Amino acid sequence: MRIKSILLILASTAWPVFAQDQQQDQPLSAIDWLTVQRIAPPLVMLPDQNPVAQSAAVPDIDVQPLDAPGISGVGLLPSSVTGLPPNLWRGSDEATIITTLDRLQTRRPSVPALTGLLHILMLAEADPPSSATGDALLHARVNLLHQHGLVAPAEALMERIGTLTPQLFDLAFDLALLTASDEALCALLGDMPNLTTDLPTRIWCATRSGDYPHAMTIYQTGVALGQLSDLDTELLLRFLDPEYSEDVAPMQPPVRPTPLQFRLFEAIGEALPTTPLPLPFAVVELSGDAGWRAQLQAAERLARVGAIDANQLLGVYTAQKPAASGGIWDRVAALQKLETALGSGNAAAISTALEQVWPQMRAAGLLVPFSHLFAAQLQDIPLGQRAQDIATTAGLLTDSYETVGQQLANNPNARLAFLGSLATGSPPGSIPADLPHASALAAAWTASPQAPAMLAGLPAENRLGEALLHAIQLFESGAAGDDADLTDALRALRAFGLEDTARRAALQLAILDMEGARR
């Protein structure tokens, strides 16, 4: 179920397909030696050689598939699913990749197509760099997913590892606290206490097993040795001693709590709102326990960055009827009005509802998930002109962008005609002067795709993953104003076989810029 939900999330963004050799008709696993019967050779004793076994006991044996990647290369999505080669990272320097991923934790791609590409790179099963040792790259990959709000996929990736190292345990425990699935890790810590030296974690897990005296002993030892922060000292005391907690004033909430501190505040009856907290905490609200408004706000935050799919967002939006107005309630009411109008089949009502909800979705940064939900239903309805332009624009933000684009070749709206050219991968006939980045976007399709010199040779060196990360960074530089970088990024994606991702990224940037200018 975890993997199924991950595929739904990724399918709502962009799915990259690496250009495979046209002669490669069989899947990567269909190679001759798999069908050859293998016979073990007979055991031969050399003359005068004594057996070396000291007993007849069966030894412990570690089993691993011959083609399994090292720990840093473990993934959820095999090459047969992503289309990316297994040697994605093999020739890269591990430290360079980790530095790039650390940078992308907070500087997320500006368009969903590249966010989806980045997430797929993090989930792809591939060989780690040849020089890699330990689990540093895996930690960086999981941490990026975590910081981007993909907590469930990150947790599922950790479950594929098998044996956790102390560094990975701490990260896995943070993820489990956000999904309230920490009981299993606490049990593991009970069997393997060397997995963490973090005293609050050990105290929390001791209480999970019902051993409050042991938890208090750890706490008192930590306080006596000065091994707890002032915040943890007070927070854990209130957690361990409810009577003390009742006699003191509420605590000042921290600006950036750890997942464990967040759960401790919840446990002492001072639950923290997640809206001002980093994105991963929004996952906690999806249960709806804190109320519909908190769930709506969390779903919007996560959908905005591709951490949940559009259907999950729709489920939250339509769970109830808004009982108030203003802000998020107006947005919910507008979307529910469109759903009602679509059910009625009244074209005039649909046009009016669409014209009202589109600006609401634009203001919330939710045009792409909204388009995935409704664009297909809107394409064949005789809408008013303004509503028709909105429906066409929405169609260009979906999987059917090329089909929609083919219908725009002679559209009198210069912007839509330009977007149609991008959708079909054709050089535009004219470039709208008032559309940001239009010239840079058009230039990416006016010549044969060729990556810039600094990236062109990387795939041949088994560094395709590194090249794609650089292309994402170039695109971000271009979106911020450097048109040459924007063109280079799109040409690189095309040269590396990701034509679909390049078109989606170009369309999304053009449309989001165009719509942003209307706010």
Side-chain angles (χ1 to χ4, degrees):
M1 289 300 294
R2 283 182 184 275
I3 294 178
K4 182 178 179 181
S5 66
I6 293 163
L7 295 179
L8 286 173
I9 292 171
L10 296 175
S12 68
T13 55
W15 191 271
V17 179
F18 187 66
Q20 302 280 344
D21 189 328
Q22 296 300 317
Q23 297 179 353
Q24 188 177 8
D25 297 325
Q26 298 297 322
L28 294 177
S29 61
I31 50 182
D32 294 340
W33 65 265
L34 288 178
T35 62
V36 176
Q37 183 178 6
R38 305 179 69 204
I39 303 173
L43 178 61
V44 178
M45 293 292 292
L46 296 178
D48 303 323
Q49 183 181 34
N50 295 320
V52 296
Q54 300 301 313
S55 76
V58 178
D60 293 332
I61 301 174
D62 292 329
V63 179
Q64 183 178 14
L66 291 175
D67 60 348
I71 187 171
S72 282
V74 69
L76 296 181
L77 305 177
S79 293
S80 59
V81 172
T82 65
L84 297 167
N87 59 8
L88 195 60
W89 310 108
R90 190 184 301 158
S92 297
D93 175 69
E94 183 181 45
T96 300
I97 300 300
I98 291 173
T99 299
T100 304
L101 296 184
D102 288 345
R103 194 177 300 122
L104 287 169
Q105 282 184 27
T106 54
R107 301 176 186 177
R108 299 183 185 93
S110 56
V111 296
L114 295 188
T115 301
L117 172 60
L118 178 60
H119 293 164
I120 289 169
L121 286 170
M122 297 303 96
L123 291 167
E125 184 180 88
D127 299 332
S130 300
S131 59
T133 57
D135 52 31
L137 179 55
L138 177 62
H139 188 279
R141 290 166 54 208
V142 174
N143 200 37
L144 184 141
L145 293 168
H146 173 208
Q147 297 305 323
H148 283 209
L150 278 80
V151 174
E155 194 172 19
L157 186 56
M158 295 293 269
E159 291 172 358
R160 294 292 297 272
I161 298 169
T163 303
L164 292 173
T165 63
Q167 184 186 30
L168 291 176
F169 177 87
D170 288 338
L171 180 53
F173 194 68
D174 281 348
L175 295 168
L177 287 166
L178 293 173
T179 59
S181 58
D182 52 289
E183 186 173 358
L185 287 179
C186 280
L188 178 63
L189 182 61
D191 295 334
M192 303 174 64
N194 291 333
L195 280 175
T196 186
T197 58
D198 184 68
L199 294 186
T201 297
R202 299 174 71 86
I203 292 168
W204 173 269
C205 283
T207 64
R208 290 284 276 168
S209 65
D211 194 348
Y212 281 87
H214 182 54
M216 183 59 78
T217 298
I218 299 173
Y219 172 79
Q220 292 171 339
T221 302
V223 172
L225 298 177
Q227 295 176 329
L228 294 171
S229 68
D230 292 342
L231 173 62
D232 285 338
T233 297
E234 180 65 19
L235 191 54
L236 286 166
L237 179 59
R238 296 182 185 217
F239 173 64
L240 294 170
D241 188 350
E243 292 184 2
Y244 168 77
S245 182
E246 293 176 359
D247 296 333
V248 292
M251 292 186 65
Q252 182 70 27
V255 176
R256 295 182 68 88
T258 65
L260 180 51
Q261 289 169 345
F262 179 88
R263 288 300 186 189
L264 287 169
F265 269 97
E266 185 179 64
I268 65 173
E270 299 179 25
L272 303 176
T274 63
T275 303
L277 299 181
L279 183 62
F281 289 94
V283 173
V284 175
E285 305 289 11
L286 292 183
S287 66
D289 292 343
W292 190 32
R293 180 184 175 87
Q295 189 180 16
L296 283 166
Q297 291 173 327
E300 286 192 340
R301 290 181 71 189
L302 293 167
R304 197 174 293 129
V305 298
I308 62 172
D309 68 80
N311 284 314
Q312 286 179 272
L313 176 65
L314 180 63
V316 178
Y317 262 57
T318 57
Q320 303 178 39
K321 293 293 183 183
S325 60
I328 197 169
W329 302 119
D330 288 347
R331 197 152 51 246
V332 173
L335 184 138
Q336 292 186 0
K337 181 179 178 181
L338 176 63
E339 268 213 317
T340 301
L342 285 168
S344 73
N346 186 311
I350 295 171
S351 294
T352 300
L354 181 58
E355 291 172 15
Q356 291 175 351
V357 72
W358 185 257
Q360 294 279 356
M361 294 295 113
R362 179 175 63 215
L366 295 169
L367 288 182
V368 173
F370 172 83
S371 298
H372 278 284
L373 288 171
F374 295 106
Q377 302 175 62
L378 296 168
Q379 296 309 308
D380 297 325
I381 299 174
L383 304 171
Q385 187 58 56
R386 183 183 171 201
Q388 183 58 59
D389 287 348
I390 292 174
T392 299
T393 303
L396 292 170
L397 292 174
T398 69
D399 296 343
S400 302
Y401 67 88
E402 188 169 9
T403 300
V404 175
Q406 289 169 350
Q407 303 168 7
L408 297 175
N410 300 313
N411 195 288
N413 185 317
R415 286 184 170 185
L416 289 178
F418 176 79
L419 294 176
S421 297
L422 294 181
T424 57
S426 307
S430 61
I431 299 174
D434 59 345
L435 187 62
H437 307 299
S439 295
L441 295 173
W445 277 273
T446 55
S448 300
Q450 184 173 359
M454 64 177 181
L455 302 183
L458 297 186
E461 299 173 4
N462 296 330
R463 298 165 64 189
L464 176 62
E466 182 180 345
L468 293 176
L469 294 179
H470 281 304
I472 291 172
Q473 290 181 311
L474 278 176
F475 188 95
E476 293 311 298
S477 173
D482 191 324
D483 281 355
D485 281 355
L486 182 58
T487 300
D488 281 346
L490 292 170
R491 285 179 174 172
L493 290 171
R494 298 185 65 212
F496 297 150
L498 279 73
E499 177 73 23
D500 177 67
T501 302
R503 292 190 198 179
R504 287 176 183 269
L507 283 168
Q508 290 168 2
L509 180 63
I511 291 171
L512 297 180
D513 276 348
M514 181 175 72
E515 294 295 332
R518 294 178 178 174
R519 292 188 184 182

